[in-house]
């Protein structure tokens, strides 16, 4: 089950329980059975995608999950640095600020 670390997500689950359950089920299926990437790599990718899209709440969640899966701060920072040439420096700075808040 996805941890409720953001109030809007908690409210979403209360207001739309069936949609939330399906969303969680689809995410779990894709994350766990969608391909051969190891768990740590999957979380680092989700983290970078969230950073590129400026989804700060998702980024925070994915940083924490990446750490739980064994990612070091150096690996997390490297993944975030990759945002600079692909998503731009402002996206990196926003993601880096979220990273610093998770310490």
């Amino acid at each position: 089950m996805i941890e409720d670390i953001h109030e809007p997500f908690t409210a979403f689950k209360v207001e739309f329980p069936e949609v939330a359950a399906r969303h969680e089920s689809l995410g779990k299926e894709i994350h766990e059975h969608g391909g051969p990437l190891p768990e740590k790599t999957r979380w680092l990718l989700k983290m970078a995608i969230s950073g590129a899209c400026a989804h700060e709440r998702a980024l925070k969640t994915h940083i924490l999950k990446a750490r739980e899966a064994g990612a070091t701060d150096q690996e997390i920072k490297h993944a975030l640095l990759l945002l600079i040439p692909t998503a731009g420096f402002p996206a990196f700075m926003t993601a880096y600020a979220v990273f610093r808040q998770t310490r």
Side-chain angles (χ1 to χ4, degrees):
M1 178 177 280
I2 300 172
E3 184 180 352
D4 293 357
I5 64 171
H6 307 294
E7 186 280 327
F9 183 65
T10 302
F12 164 75
K13 288 175 62 175
V14 169
E15 189 165 351
F16 306 102
E18 296 88 10
V19 175
R22 289 186 180 124
H23 167 73
E24 186 171 327
S25 178
L26 175 62
K28 183 176 179 173
E29 177 66 26
I30 292 169
H31 184 80
E32 294 178 359
H33 306 291
L37 294 174
E39 183 175 15
K40 180 171 77 171
T41 301
R42 294 189 308 257
W43 286 115
L44 287 169
L45 283 168
K46 288 180 172 186
M47 188 193 71
I49 292 164
S50 298
C53 296
H55 296 307
E56 293 181 36
R57 289 183 173 148
L59 175 59
K60 181 179 178 183
T61 298
H62 296 147
I63 288 170
L64 296 173
K65 292 291 189 177
R67 280 193 182 120
E68 287 176 20
T72 66
D73 281 353
Q74 289 302 103
E75 291 170 318
I76 291 169
K77 287 189 283 186
H78 186 190
L80 294 179
L81 281 170
L82 293 169
L83 293 172
I84 295 171
T86 56
F89 191 72
F92 163 77
M93 288 303 297
T94 299
Y96 183 62
V98 172
F99 164 75
R100 290 178 50 82
Q101 293 168 5
T102 67
R103 289 185 172 171

